[in-house]
Amino acid sequence: MSYAPEGQQYQPYRPEGRSAQPPQGDRYGRPYGQPHGQQPYGEGPYGEQHHGGPPYGGPPQHHEEQPEPPRRRSRAKRWLIAGVSVLALAGAAAGVMAHFEIPPFTDKGSAVSFGKPPAGGKGSGQDGSQQPANSKMLMPTGPAAEFKNAMTLPDGTHVAVTTLDGKKSGFKGKVWVWAPKEYDDPKFAKSGFPVLIALPGGAGYPSNYWMGTDLGLQTSISKWYAEGKSKPFLLAMPVLNPGPDDKGVYWDGSDIPGQPKMGTWLTEDVPDLMKANFRTVKSRDGWAFMGSSTGGFAGMKAVLKHPDKFKAVIASGPDIVPDSSLWKGHDKEKAENNPELLAKQLIERKGPDVYIAFQVGDNESNKKTLPDVQKFVATYGGDKGPVHTSLRVIPGGQHNAKTYVPNMGEGPIQYISKVMEGPVE
């Protein structure tokens, strides 16, 4: 049974302190922000009118003449207060519009492009020159997808989204992408970047929770790269399943007969999208998966099934064997998507080498997860090859992405980064 990481329903990012309600007046009709006791223009304190006559219409008063107060200064002060109040209200209104993502106060939904399209077409450099045959980098092959901004990170990078019509799988779904700021750095202008395909747990439909900034995957990759722990990965974050995980119906990231070909979607169509739009690495040394729960299973299975295309995976709290109810009556195909059998076959073929970085909490909701992973490592893994493994047990770790992301930086991300390439020319 696949377990969805707890509490990972994506919520749109809302800056702290932003009210969901627009500013309103107080019970007297005054806008909030107007100083208490401020009188309308033309009135003095306590409601007295400035008209030169005696107050309240009484007889003339015999008293020493007082100099007339400086009206211009008082009037200017009132205008200043009124201006500040207007600006405060305008600022509050802009904040509300940004909160509700109303243009032009947000860039969500605006077109996003990553780098420049190849000037000379397929196989060409950005200046139209032919790419050297011995280059390790693959220029964008095209056609360019239409990416829309899903959110902007503090460093100015964008998480963008497109709808991919998978030519090989026949499945149509959303894919979110992200490129680190190094991708647009002039010193890397002729470099191909490694790709990490990030898969969620649970249904993974209609969104992929890794695209949200609340889990910090994108900012963590930038931080880990700056610390020398990680490659500056491009991220592809596709939907995992073709529909909701309803009553235990999920697709195991596989081509189950009679069902949408989600295995082909993840291992063919999504990589093709990245190759079409980004400078990538030609060889499998620049391609990896990561995922939690069901996504960890799907990523691990993809690497073991297609070691000619992918080199490594970070599998967090994964299932070890396929268990979708949709496999009923398809035992042969189910065996072809079983990581245990795939690992055994890879060992018998003596490669190619793959690298699996497991991480599992010792407080997982499924108490079988840790012993199942430990058994897999003992039976097929270690560091003798070709199935290389590492295992990080997270003290107190639970079955959720908030546990897994911070701990990726404590070992798993270094483990796969050491065996991968990029940026490369």
Side-chain angles (χ1 to χ4, degrees):
M1 176 62 186
S2 297
Y3 288 79
E6 299 166 3
Q8 297 308 318
Q9 293 296 323
Y10 170 68
Q11 299 293 330
Y13 173 70
R14 299 174 184 266
E16 291 185 6
R18 293 271 176 92
S19 170
Q21 299 296 326
Q24 301 174 352
D26 64 12
R27 62 195 179 111
Y28 298 107
R30 295 183 298 239
Y32 291 125
Q34 177 174 304
H36 180 67
Q38 180 176 313
Q39 304 299 322
Y41 174 69
E43 291 186 4
Y46 314 111
E48 294 174 0
Q49 300 296 316
H50 296 291
H51 48 61
Y56 314 112
Q61 304 293 312
H62 298 285
H63 58 270
E64 192 173 324
E65 273 192 25
Q66 299 294 328
E68 189 173 329
R71 291 171 178 264
R72 189 169 297 175
R73 183 180 299 175
S74 176
R75 192 174 295 177
K77 182 178 179 181
R78 291 193 184 100
W79 278 110
L80 176 62
I81 292 173
V84 169
S85 298
V86 168
L87 289 174
L89 289 171
V96 170
M97 290 182 178
H99 177 77
F100 287 104
E101 298 171 345
I102 301 173
F105 298 93
T106 177
D107 58 359
K108 184 173 182 178
S110 59
V112 173
S113 61
F114 296 90
K116 297 179 180 179
K122 184 177 180 179
S124 300
Q126 292 183 2
D127 58 359
S129 60
Q130 201 67 20
Q131 184 178 346
N134 62 350
S135 173
K136 292 184 175 182
M137 182 262 286
L138 178 66
M139 286 295 296
T141 60
E146 292 185 0
F147 288 110
K148 299 295 184 182
N149 188 37
M151 61 191 64
T152 301
L153 276 64
D155 65 358
T157 58
H158 302 284
V159 176
V161 64
T162 191
T163 299
L164 172 62
D165 191 353
K167 303 304 181 186
K168 296 177 180 176
S169 68
F171 174 70
K172 186 175 183 179
K174 289 185 177 181
V175 182
W176 290 262
V177 300
W178 174 79
K181 62 181 184 299
E182 287 76 21
Y183 187 79
D184 287 324
D185 190 326
K187 73 178 181 179
F188 292 120
K190 296 181 179 180
S191 297
F193 281 66
V195 176
L196 190 60
I197 301 173
L199 305 180
Y205 177 90
S207 63
N208 177 325
Y209 57 60
W210 294 118
M211 55 75 71
T213 56
D214 55 328
L215 295 173
L217 178 60
Q218 295 84 3
T219 53
S220 294
I221 287 175
S222 294
K223 174 177 175 288
W224 295 330
Y225 175 65
E227 294 171 349
K229 296 179 178 180
S230 173
K231 298 292 186 186
F233 289 105
L234 299 169
L235 285 180
M237 298 163 279
V239 295
L240 177 61
N241 289 320
D245 183 357
D246 185 24
K247 297 180 181 178
V249 176
Y250 42 90
W251 287 258
D252 274 345
S254 305
D255 291 358
I256 301 175
Q259 300 294 328
K261 296 182 178 180
M262 301 314 294
T264 300
W265 160 260
L266 296 176
T267 61
E268 297 279 351
D269 290 330
V270 172
D272 284 349
L273 172 72
M274 299 304 287
K275 292 174 185 177
N277 292 276
F278 294 90
R279 304 185 307 274
T280 55
V281 179
K282 283 183 179 178
S283 75
R284 75 186 191 108
D285 294 339
W287 294 85
F289 279 88
M290 65 152 282
S292 55
S293 193
T294 304
F297 164 84
M300 175 177 63
K301 188 259 298 183
V303 171
L304 290 167
K305 191 176 178 68
H306 303 285
D308 56 324
K309 297 178 181 178
F310 308 100
K311 192 171 188 178
V313 59
I314 297 175
S316 303
D319 302 317
I320 296 299
V321 296
D323 62 352
S324 171
S325 60
L326 297 171
W327 287 116
K328 187 176 181 180
H330 306 290
D331 291 343
K332 177 179 177 293
E333 292 83 1
K334 183 177 180 179
E336 292 170 352
N337 289 273
N338 187 324
E340 292 183 336
L341 298 180
L342 291 168
K344 181 180 179 181
Q345 293 165 8
L346 194 58
I347 292 170
E348 291 171 351
R349 294 198 309 266
K350 301 185 185 305
D353 290 52
V354 296
Y355 297 81
I356 306 174
F358 289 106
Q359 58 173 359
V360 183
D362 63 7
N363 193 27
E364 297 264 345
S365 52
N366 183 356
K367 301 306 178 185
K368 290 184 61 181
T369 301
L370 182 54
D372 284 351
V373 169
Q374 290 170 328
K375 180 181 177 182
F376 182 93
V377 170
T379 306
Y380 307 104
D383 204 28
K384 298 176 182 178
V387 182
H388 302 266
T389 59
S390 71
L391 171 58
R392 173 175 173 77
V393 178
I394 305 169
Q398 299 180 346
H399 192 71
N400 58 53
K402 290 184 178 179
T403 288
Y404 300 140
V405 172
N407 284 280
M408 280 172 57
E410 300 301 319
I413 200 73
Q414 296 102 307
Y415 185 76
I416 68 167
S417 292
K418 286 178 181 177
V419 299
M420 296 185 68
E421 287 192 334
V424 295
E425 293 188 11

